[in-house]
Amino acid sequence: MDERKRRLVIAIDGPVGAGKSTAARRLAQALGYIYVDSGAMYRAMGWKARQAGLDLHDRGRLVALAAATDIRVVAAAEGPRVLMDGKDVTAALRTPEMDEASSVVSTFPEIRRRLVALQRAMAKEGGIVMDGRDIGTVVFPDADLKFYLDADLTVRAARRFQDLRQTGTPIDLDAVRVEVARRDERDRGRETSPLTVAADAIRIDSTARDADGVLRVMLEAVQHVLKPDKS
Ligand code: DC
């Protein structure tokens, strides 16, 4: 196949507030690829568990619920939508309560296995950018390109604070900082598929780099993969 027409699988991992979703969305847009926010799938699972009134630590009932759940991320003009059993739940997922619920349900290996299978199914045709915590390490260990995006905790907490403010959530910066640090610790410390840097990932620090700067680094790496002889 003509290398330039190859449709890549691109993985972006990193902690809360590193700028993954902005980078992934813009990179997908620039390349004409689909963008899948895998965190939204864990959020949808947390939301369903809450709606069902489940204790988030009740592993048996959570796993049964996950087995009977279909979660898809589909492209739409206003950005990707999360369909859970066919219902659009996107608007309910970006709340502090779902930050916490998704981080807890994502610690269970059975839930991860179910969602990883759905994530792999979405990448069959290539032409996809997926962001999350284990995309380059577990979901697509053979991805064509892997990025690991990070930034200082203070900057990441400030970004998360802005996101929450924009959705009208009353919250203070110190509380957000504590919540981000706690979620980092859980995501990095869990036994199954913890957040780590894949050995072959390109690391990008977004502390002092804006979204355009991050996108530039990513697009250069894409060009390098598509035209390796022109490096
Ligand atoms: O990216 P996010 O903040 O929307 O993700 C919410 C939670 O989901 C995060 O705290 C950990 C979990 N998650 C995960 O375990 N693996 C992924 N690939 C994506 C998210």
Side-chain angles (χ1 to χ4, degrees):
M1 188 199 282
D2 180 343
E3 277 293 303
R4 282 159 306 178
K5 297 215 176 101
R6 229 174 97 211
R7 292 175 64 75
L8 308 177
V9 172
I10 302 178
I12 303 180
D13 289 301
V16 180
K20 300 184 300 294
S21 56
T22 302
R25 192 181 60 246
R26 293 188 63 192
L27 182 62
Q29 220 166 35
L31 297 171
Y33 287 8
I34 59 166
Y35 161 46
V36 175
D37 169 4
S38 70
M41 299 172 78
Y42 288 93
R43 286 170 183 271
M45 210 47 248
W47 184 81
K48 188 165 179 179
R50 278 269 180 249
Q51 290 291 108
L54 293 193
D55 169 358
L56 291 179
H57 297 278
D58 183 343
R59 183 169 178 167
R61 293 185 65 193
L62 263 176
V63 170
L65 190 76
T69 300
D70 181 49
I71 299 175
R72 266 160 226 285
V73 181
V74 296
E78 69 277 23
R81 313 300 297 174
V82 184
L83 301 185
M84 202 187 53
D85 303 325
K87 184 179 150 98
D88 187 340
V89 295
T90 318
L93 303 181
R94 295 260 146 216
T95 65
E97 199 193 355
M98 288 311 122
D99 286 353
E100 180 69 10
S102 56
S103 180
V104 173
V105 302
S106 70
T107 60
F108 297 115
E110 299 89 341
I111 301 232
R112 303 200 67 83
R113 219 173 295 137
R114 168 97 186 116
L115 295 192
V116 167
L118 295 172
Q119 288 154 9
R120 287 184 180 148
M122 286 189 268
K124 279 210 176 96
E125 313 284 317
I128 185 169
V129 180
M130 191 178 291
D131 73 339
R133 303 292 188 288
D134 62 340
I135 309 305
T137 50
V138 174
V139 182
F140 304 126
D142 299 323
D144 298 291
L145 250 181
K146 299 177 186 178
F147 296 103
Y148 188 91
L149 207 50
D150 206 348
D152 291 349
L153 175 61
T154 304
V155 169
R156 294 190 294 109
R159 287 180 188 151
R160 187 70 192 123
F161 176 68
Q162 285 304 335
D163 287 349
L164 287 169
R165 274 239 300 228
Q166 267 170 19
T167 62
T169 311
I171 192 105
D172 79 81
L173 182 56
D174 286 340
V176 172
R177 192 185 158 97
V178 169
E179 186 269 339
V180 167
R182 200 182 50 214
R183 204 141 64 93
D184 279 354
E185 200 178 305
R186 192 186 290 127
D187 296 345
R188 290 191 171 114
R190 67 176 174 233
E191 267 181 43
T192 310
S193 311
L195 171 65
T196 53
V197 189
D200 50 350
I202 297 170
R203 298 176 80 133
I204 304 174
D205 190 324
S206 70
T207 306
R209 217 187 280 265
D210 64 8
D212 286 341
V214 171
L215 181 66
R216 228 177 355 255
V217 175
M218 291 184 166
L219 283 171
E220 274 169 23
V222 169
Q223 288 313 315
H224 187 74
V225 169
L226 292 178
K227 299 183 206 164
D229 51 339
K230 296 242 172 100
S231 61

